Amino acid sequence: MSFLNLTPADIQAISFGFLFFVLAIAFFFLVTTAYRDPIARRYATLALFGGLINLFAFLYSTTDDLWLALLYRTVSQAFSIPFIAALILFSIVVYEKFKPANKVMRDIAYALVAIDALFLLPFLSDITGTNYLIGKLTESPAIQLTPEAGPYLIYFIGFFVVAVLFSFFVMFLLWRTGKSKEARIMGLLMILALEIPVMTRLAGYGPWYGYGANDYVSLFVTFLTGPIFAFGVTYAILRHQLFNIRLIATQVFIFALWGLLFFRVLLAPTLTDALPDIALLVATIVLGIFLIRSVLHEVTQREELERVSANLRDLNETLEEKVAERTGELADEKIHVETIIENLPVGIIELSAGEVIERINSTAEILLGITREEVTGKKVAEWGKEKAYQSLAAALSAKPKEERESAAEPLPASGSAELTITYPHEREIQVQRLPFKLGTRKGELVLIRDVTREKAIERSKNEFITIAAHQLRTPVSGLRWVFNILRSGELGKLNKDQKEVVESGDARAAEMVQLVNDFLNVARISDERFDYQFSKGDIHPLVESVRNGFAGVAEQKGVKFSATVDADVPEFMFDPEKISILLNNLVDNAIKYTQKGGMVSLSVSKEKGGIGISVTDSGIGIPKEEQKRLFEKFFRSRKATQMFTDGSGLGLFITKSVVDNHNGTIVVHSEEGVGTTFSVTLPLNPNGKPE
């Protein structure tokens, strides 16, 4: 029977040639456009080996040489080995794109690939003429469409069926159990466009055993296996936009040209006649691929440019909206900040680097009796002696307390000064200057605070403390006089218990006198009446007095006490009374907070440029977080309070004041449970008051 006057051999040749053509096109497109995608690479491998199977099957139909025809058909079937392996691995790759494959599935896949590789040996043997799988060829391929089946071919066909069923099962699982819609669609597409056509292709083994050898078998198989190429094209369209709608004219033209040349090759009467068309087909395939890729690249670039332009337009619109929104926010924030500055209870004057007044708030206007219109934009040096500007000039040229006796340098950065102004009203103010830098802009903020009420309260408090201390000193001194008379025995001899009571009372009275003295000293310091009488003298007698005064106390408590002065310590300028207070306070604290069996030492030495006084103990130590507050008025360490409830917390405050007024320094090094060292450094200035 014939079909369009074609013999069965012609139909078979056309079928194999068509499949080779479409699979070759699929391979070239996937390799050149989608090689980065693992599924596309696996499919390209399938297309490659499928194309080689059909190529050598096609060559079988083009020769009358029996040995060469048998070789072509053997090689064609041998390429089924890598095709089966590629099919198995392809199904695993597709499955794992959407969900992990379990160990059993992987083990079965690898086992099938290993068995598949074993069939390569008999195929290679058949090339030498053993006929294990591929039998003999006794007639021309134009008459005998396939060689005879070898005795073991049926086993290979059976294995082929098992491999295809495994691949089908994997895709069926993906279709039925895939969690995403894309996974289920991919599984179904694979079943329809790959698994079923490959199964149908197995019908091609029918003629090997004498079944279905008619004109329509090859065409039927061909048109069912064609969807393999359709799957590749569909996947490329959906996944990689291979057939871009903008390229459709170019693609249709090139595909039509390829198809025309391919069928010219198939219908050529001889290979010699087909050679020019084969060369032209190869050239058009190569040029067509490059043409489509170049057009696709150009279209892609144009689309990318359009996308970037659209994104830039959107970004520009968004940016403009954000800029407008942020500008509004900044304006609101500026108004908010200016409102806060304007209503602060502290006067603020902003000075530029050139001492020009840039800003002044309402509080500063009220305190200094000026208006911003009068002074903004003017230099500080421009103010004369007009009464209206006296307070402003005084505030801007104020000196810190420690520099009040020096002349006309302005208040240093971050320093503070207190002064009294008389215009528009008499007030006591505190002035502080803070430098700032914003980019290239530099300047200072002058902060002015009205402390009139605070000073009045502080004076009242100090007056109360002074009066109370003086009122307490007289009766306490009387008590000590009474205790001394009783202890002397002038009123009769005291027994042991009476002596202990008298001595305890006298000690308490002495502590009260010391507390009264501390209160008076603190009041004098606050009122700046803690006067100093500097004279050049020797510190040895003061240290000796401290040693004698605390020797009995230390011995009674069981603390080893030593006081030494290096021989090279020279005479220097100091206030003996105040340094005596300093030494007594430090040694008293050291002995008081050192347990029995501990050690306290006082040492005086000459240091570079000054005199060093060090008091070291092995006492309870001071917590690190409390050390920075040691010199605050009324502060006592937590551990000190637990050990001795008595104490005013004024001793170290007074000590720090003495050190400061000698222009010295005092530092503390302490560790809990180890001990404490107070180190005082006084400047050595034999020519006058310390500077």
PDB file of all heavy atoms in Angstrom, residues 12-28:
ATOM      1  N   GLN A  12       9.074   5.834   6.257  1.00  0.00           N
ATOM      2  CA  GLN A  12       9.926   5.649   7.445  1.00  0.00           C
ATOM      3  C   GLN A  12      11.072   6.652   7.443  1.00  0.00           C
ATOM      4  O   GLN A  12      11.400   7.247   8.478  1.00  0.00           O
ATOM      5  CB  GLN A  12      10.467   4.217   7.465  1.00  0.00           C
ATOM      6  CG  GLN A  12      11.380   3.949   8.660  1.00  0.00           C
ATOM      7  CD  GLN A  12      11.782   2.499   8.767  1.00  0.00           C
ATOM      8  OE1 GLN A  12      11.135   1.729   9.452  1.00  0.00           O
ATOM      9  NE2 GLN A  12      12.844   2.121   8.060  1.00  0.00           N
ATOM     10  N   ALA A  13      11.679   6.867   6.276  1.00  0.00           N
ATOM     11  CA  ALA A  13      12.789   7.814   6.194  1.00  0.00           C
ATOM     12  C   ALA A  13      12.319   9.228   6.522  1.00  0.00           C
ATOM     13  O   ALA A  13      12.990   9.985   7.244  1.00  0.00           O
ATOM     14  CB  ALA A  13      13.416   7.762   4.800  1.00  0.00           C
ATOM     15  N   ILE A  14      11.126   9.595   5.980  1.00  0.00           N
ATOM     16  CA  ILE A  14      10.590  10.930   6.268  1.00  0.00           C
ATOM     17  C   ILE A  14      10.305  11.088   7.762  1.00  0.00           C
ATOM     18  O   ILE A  14      10.585  12.124   8.365  1.00  0.00           O
ATOM     19  CB  ILE A  14       9.320  11.180   5.431  1.00  0.00           C
ATOM     20  CG1 ILE A  14       9.680  11.292   3.941  1.00  0.00           C
ATOM     21  CG2 ILE A  14       8.605  12.443   5.897  1.00  0.00           C
ATOM     22  CD1 ILE A  14       8.474  11.364   3.027  1.00  0.00           C
ATOM     23  N   SER A  15       9.757  10.033   8.374  1.00  0.00           N
ATOM     24  CA  SER A  15       9.441  10.098   9.812  1.00  0.00           C
ATOM     25  C   SER A  15      10.698  10.324  10.637  1.00  0.00           C
ATOM     26  O   SER A  15      10.759  11.215  11.497  1.00  0.00           O
ATOM     27  CB  SER A  15       8.758   8.803  10.252  1.00  0.00           C
ATOM     28  OG  SER A  15       7.567   8.598   9.538  1.00  0.00           O
ATOM     29  N   PHE A  16      11.729   9.482  10.372  1.00  0.00           N
ATOM     30  CA  PHE A  16      12.973   9.640  11.132  1.00  0.00           C
ATOM     31  C   PHE A  16      13.631  10.990  10.852  1.00  0.00           C
ATOM     32  O   PHE A  16      14.163  11.640  11.758  1.00  0.00           O
ATOM     33  CB  PHE A  16      13.941   8.501  10.792  1.00  0.00           C
ATOM     34  CG  PHE A  16      13.520   7.165  11.350  1.00  0.00           C
ATOM     35  CD1 PHE A  16      13.603   6.009  10.573  1.00  0.00           C
ATOM     36  CD2 PHE A  16      13.048   7.057  12.650  1.00  0.00           C
ATOM     37  CE1 PHE A  16      13.223   4.780  11.092  1.00  0.00           C
ATOM     38  CE2 PHE A  16      12.666   5.830  13.170  1.00  0.00           C
ATOM     39  CZ  PHE A  16      12.747   4.685  12.386  1.00  0.00           C
ATOM     40  N   GLY A  17      13.599  11.401   9.603  1.00  0.00           N
ATOM     41  CA  GLY A  17      14.213  12.684   9.254  1.00  0.00           C
ATOM     42  C   GLY A  17      13.501  13.852   9.910  1.00  0.00           C
ATOM     43  O   GLY A  17      14.136  14.795  10.400  1.00  0.00           O
ATOM     44  N   PHE A  18      12.152  13.794   9.912  1.00  0.00           N
ATOM     45  CA  PHE A  18      11.394  14.887  10.544  1.00  0.00           C
ATOM     46  C   PHE A  18      11.695  14.970  12.044  1.00  0.00           C
ATOM     47  O   PHE A  18      11.915  16.055  12.596  1.00  0.00           O
ATOM     48  CB  PHE A  18       9.899  14.666  10.305  1.00  0.00           C
ATOM     49  CG  PHE A  18       9.032  15.650  11.032  1.00  0.00           C
ATOM     50  CD1 PHE A  18       8.924  16.963  10.592  1.00  0.00           C
ATOM     51  CD2 PHE A  18       8.337  15.274  12.176  1.00  0.00           C
ATOM     52  CE1 PHE A  18       8.131  17.875  11.267  1.00  0.00           C
ATOM     53  CE2 PHE A  18       7.549  16.179  12.853  1.00  0.00           C
ATOM     54  CZ  PHE A  18       7.435  17.485  12.395  1.00  0.00           C
ATOM     55  N   LEU A  19      11.701  13.805  12.715  1.00  0.00           N
ATOM     56  CA  LEU A  19      11.984  13.819  14.154  1.00  0.00           C
ATOM     57  C   LEU A  19      13.396  14.327  14.439  1.00  0.00           C
ATOM     58  O   LEU A  19      13.626  15.071  15.395  1.00  0.00           O
ATOM     59  CB  LEU A  19      11.803  12.418  14.733  1.00  0.00           C
ATOM     60  CG  LEU A  19      10.351  11.959  14.887  1.00  0.00           C
ATOM     61  CD1 LEU A  19      10.298  10.528  15.392  1.00  0.00           C
ATOM     62  CD2 LEU A  19       9.603  12.874  15.837  1.00  0.00           C
ATOM     63  N   PHE A  20      14.357  13.902  13.607  1.00  0.00           N
ATOM     64  CA  PHE A  20      15.714  14.412  13.796  1.00  0.00           C
ATOM     65  C   PHE A  20      15.744  15.932  13.638  1.00  0.00           C
ATOM     66  O   PHE A  20      16.380  16.643  14.424  1.00  0.00           O
ATOM     67  CB  PHE A  20      16.657  13.760  12.781  1.00  0.00           C
ATOM     68  CG  PHE A  20      17.962  14.499  12.647  1.00  0.00           C
ATOM     69  CD1 PHE A  20      18.890  14.503  13.682  1.00  0.00           C
ATOM     70  CD2 PHE A  20      18.251  15.230  11.496  1.00  0.00           C
ATOM     71  CE1 PHE A  20      20.079  15.200  13.560  1.00  0.00           C
ATOM     72  CE2 PHE A  20      19.431  15.934  11.381  1.00  0.00           C
ATOM     73  CZ  PHE A  20      20.356  15.913  12.410  1.00  0.00           C
ATOM     74  N   PHE A  21      15.017  16.427  12.637  1.00  0.00           N
ATOM     75  CA  PHE A  21      15.015  17.864  12.366  1.00  0.00           C
ATOM     76  C   PHE A  21      14.450  18.649  13.558  1.00  0.00           C
ATOM     77  O   PHE A  21      15.072  19.599  14.056  1.00  0.00           O
ATOM     78  CB  PHE A  21      14.202  18.139  11.100  1.00  0.00           C
ATOM     79  CG  PHE A  21      14.023  19.602  10.811  1.00  0.00           C
ATOM     80  CD1 PHE A  21      15.084  20.374  10.357  1.00  0.00           C
ATOM     81  CD2 PHE A  21      12.787  20.212  10.998  1.00  0.00           C
ATOM     82  CE1 PHE A  21      14.915  21.717  10.089  1.00  0.00           C
ATOM     83  CE2 PHE A  21      12.621  21.556  10.733  1.00  0.00           C
ATOM     84  CZ  PHE A  21      13.678  22.310  10.278  1.00  0.00           C
ATOM     85  N   VAL A  22      13.268  18.243  14.040  1.00  0.00           N
ATOM     86  CA  VAL A  22      12.638  19.020  15.110  1.00  0.00           C
ATOM     87  C   VAL A  22      13.426  18.904  16.412  1.00  0.00           C
ATOM     88  O   VAL A  22      13.553  19.875  17.174  1.00  0.00           O
ATOM     89  CB  VAL A  22      11.171  18.588  15.317  1.00  0.00           C
ATOM     90  CG1 VAL A  22      10.343  18.923  14.102  1.00  0.00           C
ATOM     91  CG2 VAL A  22      11.058  17.109  15.650  1.00  0.00           C
ATOM     92  N   LEU A  23      13.995  17.714  16.689  1.00  0.00           N
ATOM     93  CA  LEU A  23      14.775  17.564  17.920  1.00  0.00           C
ATOM     94  C   LEU A  23      16.094  18.333  17.833  1.00  0.00           C
ATOM     95  O   LEU A  23      16.577  18.876  18.834  1.00  0.00           O
ATOM     96  CB  LEU A  23      15.036  16.088  18.200  1.00  0.00           C
ATOM     97  CG  LEU A  23      13.787  15.287  18.613  1.00  0.00           C
ATOM     98  CD1 LEU A  23      14.105  13.801  18.691  1.00  0.00           C
ATOM     99  CD2 LEU A  23      13.247  15.781  19.944  1.00  0.00           C
ATOM    100  N   ALA A  24      16.678  18.379  16.644  1.00  0.00           N
ATOM    101  CA  ALA A  24      17.903  19.163  16.474  1.00  0.00           C
ATOM    102  C   ALA A  24      17.632  20.646  16.686  1.00  0.00           C
ATOM    103  O   ALA A  24      18.416  21.355  17.334  1.00  0.00           O
ATOM    104  CB  ALA A  24      18.491  18.915  15.082  1.00  0.00           C
ATOM    105  N   ILE A  25      16.507  21.120  16.125  1.00  0.00           N
ATOM    106  CA  ILE A  25      16.149  22.532  16.331  1.00  0.00           C
ATOM    107  C   ILE A  25      15.929  22.813  17.812  1.00  0.00           C
ATOM    108  O   ILE A  25      16.394  23.822  18.358  1.00  0.00           O
ATOM    109  CB  ILE A  25      14.885  22.881  15.518  1.00  0.00           C
ATOM    110  CG1 ILE A  25      15.159  22.731  14.020  1.00  0.00           C
ATOM    111  CG2 ILE A  25      14.433  24.304  15.836  1.00  0.00           C
ATOM    112  CD1 ILE A  25      16.296  23.576  13.513  1.00  0.00           C
ATOM    113  N   ALA A  26      15.217  21.895  18.504  1.00  0.00           N
ATOM    114  CA  ALA A  26      14.991  22.079  19.941  1.00  0.00           C
ATOM    115  C   ALA A  26      16.313  22.121  20.697  1.00  0.00           C
ATOM    116  O   ALA A  26      16.515  22.950  21.594  1.00  0.00           O
ATOM    117  CB  ALA A  26      14.112  20.949  20.476  1.00  0.00           C
ATOM    118  N   PHE A  27      17.238  21.232  20.334  1.00  0.00           N
ATOM    119  CA  PHE A  27      18.545  21.196  20.997  1.00  0.00           C
ATOM    120  C   PHE A  27      19.296  22.510  20.807  1.00  0.00           C
ATOM    121  O   PHE A  27      19.807  23.101  21.764  1.00  0.00           O
ATOM    122  CB  PHE A  27      19.363  20.027  20.445  1.00  0.00           C
ATOM    123  CG  PHE A  27      20.793  20.028  20.910  1.00  0.00           C
ATOM    124  CD1 PHE A  27      21.124  19.612  22.189  1.00  0.00           C
ATOM    125  CD2 PHE A  27      21.815  20.462  20.070  1.00  0.00           C
ATOM    126  CE1 PHE A  27      22.442  19.624  22.619  1.00  0.00           C
ATOM    127  CE2 PHE A  27      23.127  20.476  20.491  1.00  0.00           C
ATOM    128  CZ  PHE A  27      23.449  20.052  21.773  1.00  0.00           C
ATOM    129  N   PHE A  28      19.363  22.993  19.566  1.00  0.00           N
ATOM    130  CA  PHE A  28      20.101  24.222  19.294  1.00  0.00           C
ATOM    131  C   PHE A  28      19.506  25.411  20.041  1.00  0.00           C
ATOM    132  O   PHE A  28      20.223  26.233  20.618  1.00  0.00           O
ATOM    133  CB  PHE A  28      20.137  24.499  17.787  1.00  0.00           C
ATOM    134  CG  PHE A  28      21.173  23.703  17.061  1.00  0.00           C
ATOM    135  CD1 PHE A  28      20.816  22.816  16.057  1.00  0.00           C
ATOM    136  CD2 PHE A  28      22.520  23.830  17.386  1.00  0.00           C
ATOM    137  CE1 PHE A  28      21.772  22.075  15.388  1.00  0.00           C
ATOM    138  CE2 PHE A  28      23.484  23.093  16.717  1.00  0.00           C
ATOM    139  CZ  PHE A  28      23.108  22.209  15.715  1.00  0.00           C
TER     140      PHE A  28
END
